[in-house]
Amino acid sequence: MGNLLKVLACSDLEHGPIIFLDFEHAQPTEAETAVWNQVSAVLEEAHGILAELQSYNGAGQEIREAIQNPGDLQLQEKAWNAVCPLVAKLKRFYEFSLRLENALRSLLEALTSPPYAPMQHLEREQALAKQFAEILHFTLSFDELKMTNPAIQNDFSYYRRTISRNRLNNQQLEAENEVNNEMANRMSLFYAEATPMLKTLSNATTKFVSENKTLPIEDTTDCLSTMACVCRVMLETPEYRCRFTNTDTVLFCMRVMVGVIILYDHVHPVGAFAKTSKIDVRHTHTHRSTKNLKTNLLGETLRCAITAARFVTCCRKKRATSEEQTEL
């Protein structure tokens, strides 16, 4: 892979050599194998999680009938039987977020650890960089589906209300053995977020930086800003964009770009939207609207991704943020 990544800051990318990071075909080297195998085991579940979430229809009809007829025990039982397997599914999603958090931590450790600088890591460990990108792509895809499906919170709220009501009546239902009160509280906090997976990764990245006090924060932020800039350059350079063998890779790069900007915003002291940020958010936003990339589906997906960015970014309104970038 040689000198695939040479330049690190966005300002350098404006004037330096064009960079291409192989998100489609990168394979792990011997040095990457241990971490790659660990993360790969988690990512193998990601497609199934998204498929389950996409087909999540909820128990809205059963819940409405039960609420409208509180004295009808048959309808109460029907609603409960409809909700329980759905809550079990929501529990699996939540537990997967914890495994994803651990996978992200392993990748951050690998991509920022001494003796190499983060930039050298990205050059040497393309397969791990690809997995990092895949985690971000999954995260935005999951949150996009969650944001557009109110049944998730409605089902879980009904489940918790039913559990509480039965507790007051000194009754315990079998479902409590699978989702106890402590687990239900954690799940409730998770699903209360507009973008729960992004929030999980943002918190994990912040925690990684705070717990690794001997690791300069710049090692992590440079890794994130470089990834964002690389994605932007690949997208806006036609001769490199045409090297993608799969048309979905364009959308993949866009999602990754949004994801790393969000993580950068949480970790960097002044955020991604400050005038001094290494990420050119203004240029990135302008690129999102490039005419030759516009399609109805792409536009709608990017709208969801940028909505996620608005929900999760924490430094957007800081004093160091220009009015123009705040408007973006």
Side-chain angles (χ1 to χ4, degrees):
M1 285 170 260
N3 297 323
L4 205 52
L5 280 169
K6 285 293 189 184
V7 188
L8 307 174
C10 280
S11 57
D12 294 330
L13 290 177
E14 296 284 357
H15 308 291
I18 294 175
I19 296 167
F20 185 82
L21 183 58
D22 193 352
F23 283 143
E24 293 182 335
H25 306 296
Q27 295 297 317
T29 61
E30 185 176 350
E32 297 173 85
T33 301
V35 175
W36 189 89
N37 286 338
Q38 176 192 342
V39 176
S40 181
V42 177
L43 287 173
E44 283 177 2
E45 299 180 55
H47 293 296
I49 293 290
L50 286 180
E52 282 192 81
L53 181 57
Q54 195 161 21
S55 63
Y56 190 102
N57 294 320
Q61 182 63 31
E62 292 86 348
I63 291 173
R64 280 192 296 273
E65 290 177 352
I67 292 175
Q68 291 168 2
N69 301 277
D72 191 324
L73 295 180
Q74 187 174 0
L75 288 178
Q76 304 305 311
E77 184 177 358
K78 180 181 178 183
W80 180 250
N81 290 336
V83 164
C84 283
L86 295 174
V87 169
K89 186 177 294 188
L90 295 179
K91 181 188 176 187
R92 289 198 298 276
F93 297 165
Y94 168 72
E95 290 174 334
F96 181 76
S97 76
L98 302 180
R99 294 195 292 278
L100 200 69
E101 180 180 348
N102 290 332
L104 178 71
R105 182 182 182 88
S106 296
L107 288 173
L108 286 174
E109 288 174 349
L111 293 172
T112 60
S113 60
Y116 301 111
M119 310 68 128
Q120 293 172 303
H121 278 297
L122 289 176
E123 181 180 16
R124 294 166 57 91
E125 296 154 3
Q126 296 248 329
L128 298 187
K130 177 175 179 284
Q131 286 186 320
F132 183 64
E134 287 171 343
I135 286 178
L136 293 171
H137 182 263
F138 163 82
T139 297
L140 283 171
S141 299
F142 181 96
D143 286 344
E144 177 188 332
L145 291 170
K146 187 269 179 184
M147 280 193 293
T148 56
N149 193 341
I152 290 172
Q153 284 183 277
N154 292 339
D155 292 347
F156 195 65
S157 295
Y158 178 81
Y159 173 84
R160 297 207 72 187
R161 289 197 306 270
T162 304
I163 291 289
S164 298
R165 185 171 61 248
N166 284 315
R167 246 192 230 112
L168 291 175
N169 296 329
N170 294 318
Q171 297 176 350
Q172 183 170 0
L173 300 171
E174 289 184 9
E176 287 189 78
N177 296 327
E178 182 171 355
V179 181
N180 58 32
N181 192 50
E182 182 183 354
M183 173 62 76
N185 287 336
R186 294 202 301 266
M187 289 172 60
S188 182
L189 291 173
F190 177 76
Y191 288 110
E193 296 288 344
T195 54
M197 286 290 179
L198 265 176
K199 184 66 173 177
T200 296
L201 295 195
S202 297
N203 289 343
T205 306
T206 303
K207 185 178 179 182
F208 171 79
V209 171
S210 64
E211 288 182 348
N212 290 271
K213 300 187 184 301
T214 59
L215 185 71
I217 189 173
E218 291 80 10
D219 285 11
T220 304
T221 56
D222 282 354
C223 177
L224 299 175
S225 63
T226 299
M227 183 77 81
C229 296
V230 166
C231 289
R232 196 202 80 202
V233 169
M234 289 196 298
L235 287 167
E236 66 187 7
T237 307
E239 58 266 37
Y240 279 81
R241 196 169 65 241
C242 71
R243 289 176 59 182
F244 298 145
T245 58
N246 189 332
T247 55
D248 290 341
T249 307
V250 173
L251 178 56
F252 179 91
C253 284
M254 288 183 174
R255 285 184 183 276
V256 172
M257 186 168 61
V258 171
V260 290
I261 288 172
I262 291 170
L263 295 186
Y264 182 98
D265 188 60
H266 275 254
V267 174
H268 197 279
V270 298
F273 296 86
K275 300 172 185 177
T276 57
S277 171
K278 287 188 177 181
I279 298 177
D280 187 353
V281 177
R282 179 177 171 275
H283 196 158
T284 298
H285 183 279
T286 303
H287 175 67
R288 272 197 309 115
S289 303
T290 301
K291 183 176 180 181
N292 63 351
L293 292 177
K294 272 190 174 180
T295 65
N296 291 334
L297 177 60
L298 188 59
E300 179 64 16
T301 304
L302 287 175
R303 182 191 63 77
C304 290
I306 298 305
T307 299
R310 290 194 180 114
F311 274 115
V312 181
T313 47
C314 60
C315 299
R316 197 164 54 90
K317 295 185 179 179
K318 285 190 174 181
R319 188 173 297 176
T321 305
S322 68
E323 291 183 10
E324 183 181 15
Q325 287 180 330
T326 300
E327 285 299 316
L328 292 178

